Amino acid sequence: MGQALLLVDDHEDNLFALEHALTPLGRPVLRATSGEQALKTVLREPVAAVVMDVVMPHIDGLQTLDYLHRLDQTRDLPVLLVTGTSRDNRLAQLAYKLGAAGILLKPLDPWALCCHVRTLADLYTRTPPTA
């Protein structure tokens, strides 16, 4: 089965949709409803990749990404950001500057999401891609 995928969003329906879209990858799925919870989860559980909403209360996705990439244990952990805001070059530039592995706009294409996440998780865990 391998290391888990961590899905982070403050809306339960979005977490459900992400989990449903990523089920074909066959990896365990962990959920977090806040940036704080995501940080605690990655320090306790083996995670292969993170899919995280940008807009969340308290600690948003960009702040969480910044924290993750400051810690030695999670510095190289791939984080794919998801946003419902319109295309914003400043947001994209900041995300990449902070080390995001990518940024996808909602509504998400489940096939594209699976492709991105599978590649990131396989590269991070050094497992050969599955067919």
Side-chain angles (χ1 to χ4, degrees), residues 32-68:
T33 56
S34 68
E36 298 95 331
Q37 192 178 14
L39 292 168
K40 290 176 184 175
T41 300
V42 298
L43 294 175
R44 285 191 294 235
E45 303 288 337
V47 173
V50 178
V51 179
M52 182 165 42
D53 189 28
V54 172
V55 180
M56 295 185 292
H58 308 295
I59 298 178
D60 68 23
L62 292 173
Q63 292 167 314
T64 306
L65 171 65
D66 188 36
Y67 287 132
L68 286 171

Side-chain angles (χ1 to χ4, degrees), residues 1 5 7 16-29 109-115 117-119 121-122 129-131:
M1 240 191 191
L5 303 174
L7 311 179
F16 177 80
L18 287 171
E19 185 171 357
H20 181 72
L22 295 170
T23 297
L25 298 182
R27 287 184 179 271
V29 173
D109 175 331
W111 182 84
L113 177 66
C114 275
C115 287
V117 173
R118 179 181 65 187
T119 300
D122 287 348
T130 56

Side-chain angles (χ1 to χ4, degrees), residues 18 22 50-54 79-87 91-92 95-96 100-117 120:
L18 287 171
L22 295 170
V50 178
V51 179
M52 182 165 42
D53 189 28
V54 172
V79 177
L80 182 63
L81 295 174
V82 175
T83 183
T85 61
S86 62
R87 185 180 172 124
L91 172 64
Y96 288 112
I103 187 165
L104 295 177
L105 300 176
K106 294 176 186 175
L108 297 174
D109 175 331
W111 182 84
L113 177 66
C114 275
C115 287
H116 282 289
V117 173
L120 293 171

